[in-house]
Amino acid sequence: MWKSAWRDEAEHSGDAEVVHRVREGDREAFRVLVHRYEDLLYRTALRHTRQPDVAADLVQATFVKAYAGIWRCRDPERFGAWVYRIVVNACKDYLKSRRRTDVNLDDPTAARLPAPPAGTPEWEMERAELRERLDQALGKLPIVMREAFLLKHSEGMSYEEIADLLNVSVPALKMRVHRARAMLQELMDSEGG
């Protein structure tokens, strides 16, 4: 009962306090951190890998690594930024290993036809193809630009929230998002988008 009461209280505690409890040997406290960050980490991994099962595995591996290495978290109040960095690195490692075995089946000579009417199966297919092209273009961005762009536009986070999470200044973050947009536009235009 005591642990349950503390867990309820911990839901409203800062990361530093919860990390301290974990370091003191309280395994239940780590569940609070998992609950607090699992959705963000899963969405991040899913955006990078586009495979739900792989994303779930990477998030699980991230939490195992975070639990085992919680002493390496230098600033416990910034646990979220630290664990976010772990999942992004896991995604990068996964994608590097996958690129070695993937074969590109896209036909670069395919002709562009007029857009089909909205709501039709053809329209849905074209949207899926556009999404695939966008995902490929996102994959070509430098990781710092991709992270900033996705946190801003996919997660809907404010510049201040993202700056805190990534430990960068707001002006630097705005520049990353601006450059990411410009690079994405250039990549999409060069591929006939």
Side-chain angles (χ1 to χ4, degrees):
M1 176 140 183
W2 174 83
K3 284 190 181 204
S4 174
W6 182 85
R7 188 170 172 200
D8 291 342
E9 178 186 321
E11 291 290 335
H12 304 289
S13 300
D15 286 351
E17 183 180 337
V18 180
V19 168
H20 175 73
R21 298 288 301 224
V22 174
R23 288 177 174 173
E24 292 292 314
D26 184 350
R27 291 182 183 181
E28 283 293 311
F30 194 74
R31 290 178 194 242
V32 172
L33 295 172
V34 169
H35 178 72
R36 195 172 283 174
Y37 291 104
E38 65 186 337
D39 289 343
L40 171 66
L41 298 184
Y42 177 76
R43 288 190 307 268
T44 299
L46 186 59
R47 274 194 317 272
H48 280 77
T49 66
R50 291 176 275 146
Q51 297 177 26
D53 292 342
V54 171
D57 289 347
L58 290 173
V59 170
Q60 183 176 8
T62 294
F63 281 123
V64 168
K65 187 171 186 174
Y67 183 77
I70 197 135
W71 293 98
R72 288 191 296 272
C73 180
R74 291 187 193 136
D75 183 358
E77 194 57 51
R78 295 190 42 78
F79 175 84
W82 181 70
V83 76
Y84 179 82
R85 181 74 21 227
I86 294 172
V87 80
V88 167
N89 288 337
C91 290
K92 284 171 33 180
D93 292 343
Y94 168 79
L95 292 171
K96 278 185 213 171
S97 69
R98 194 182 88 183
R99 279 188 202 119
R100 289 184 211 123
T101 59
D102 278 359
V103 175
N104 186 357
L105 299 177
D106 290 336
D107 179 7
T109 62
R112 296 289 300 160
L113 300 173
T120 64
E122 294 84 10
W123 180 80
E124 292 292 338
M125 198 157 118
E126 188 160 306
R127 280 189 57 169
E129 289 172 6
L130 178 61
R131 179 65 194 181
E132 177 65 26
R133 287 181 45 235
L134 179 60
D135 286 345
Q136 288 176 358
L138 279 166
K140 293 176 183 176
L141 294 180
I143 189 72
V144 294
M145 287 185 200
R146 181 172 56 229
E147 284 175 333
F149 181 85
L150 289 173
L151 288 171
K152 179 66 181 158
H153 295 291
S154 291
E155 293 298 324
M157 297 173 77
S158 71
Y159 283 115
E160 291 76 17
E161 291 170 321
I162 302 167
D164 184 50
L165 182 66
L166 299 179
N167 199 26
V168 298
S169 70
V170 171
L173 181 64
K174 287 181 177 181
M175 183 56 70
R176 287 180 188 179
V177 172
H178 173 75
R179 288 181 178 160
R181 277 191 210 116
M183 286 181 72
L184 279 173
Q185 185 64 52
E186 187 177 310
L187 286 165
M188 296 294 285
D189 288 346
S190 71
E191 294 177 9

